[in-house]
Amino acid sequence: MVGEGRQRIDKWLFFSRAVKSRSLAAKLVIAGRVRINRDKAAQASDLVKAGDVLTITLDRRIMVWKVLGPGTRRGPAEEARLLYEDMSPPPTPKGEAVPDAIPALRETGSGRPTKRERRQTDRLLGDD
């Protein structure tokens, strides 16, 4: 039924330790957060094979993995790393801004009033 060297995407994501459970993997695929060779995976039963490139969106990061082979079990992390080659772009350092980012338009301190400032204006206006 399943072609040699092919595996369901939800099982593969579970075996590669991208997610904690197969049901979470299925939900991730159904939500449209997994692409197989640039095409959205429509259902959890879609098949992956060695050489496929997966784009996985988890939280606020994007992972690009090349499938090296099907998994047989959910083993330790060292075994899971043998299932894929990480081709993700390196993350930007936290202190460094994105080069395309627009600088802040307001001056520091001219934003929302603090609780103390709001209380002072309420006292001046006579609101109790």
Side-chain angles (χ1 to χ4, degrees):
M1 188 155 142
V2 174
E4 191 63 34
R6 291 179 167 260
Q7 189 169 42
R8 288 175 55 115
I9 185 70
D10 61 338
K11 277 181 103 171
W12 191 90
L13 288 170
F14 176 62
F15 290 159
S16 68
R17 296 183 157 264
V19 290
K20 289 185 177 184
S21 69
R22 247 181 99 180
S23 59
L24 285 176
K27 288 178 186 177
L28 192 71
V29 172
I30 292 169
R33 296 180 177 267
V34 178
R35 291 179 177 264
I36 304 171
N37 297 327
R38 294 188 177 176
D39 297 324
K40 271 190 185 175
Q43 49 195 347
S45 62
D46 287 349
L47 300 175
V48 293
K49 63 184 184 315
D52 285 345
V53 177
L54 303 179
T55 307
I56 307 162
T57 307
L58 284 176
D59 298 327
R60 294 187 179 153
R61 57 192 174 128
I62 297 173
M63 301 182 305
V64 181
W65 288 356
K66 183 176 182 179
V67 178
L68 298 179
T72 54
R73 68 182 189 119
R74 182 179 169 93
E78 294 83 26
E79 186 178 317
R81 277 191 226 108
L82 299 175
L83 297 178
Y84 63 88
E85 175 188 341
D86 193 0
M87 300 169 40
S88 304
T92 57
K94 288 192 177 193
E96 206 173 290
V98 179
D100 299 351
I102 300 170
L105 299 176
R106 63 178 185 87
E107 294 180 27
T108 306
S110 64
R112 290 180 58 170
T114 63
K115 193 170 188 177
R116 174 183 255 164
E117 292 169 344
R118 287 195 314 266
R119 286 180 179 164
Q120 288 176 348
T121 56
D122 287 347
R123 287 188 189 129
L124 292 174
L125 295 174
D127 295 339
D128 288 323

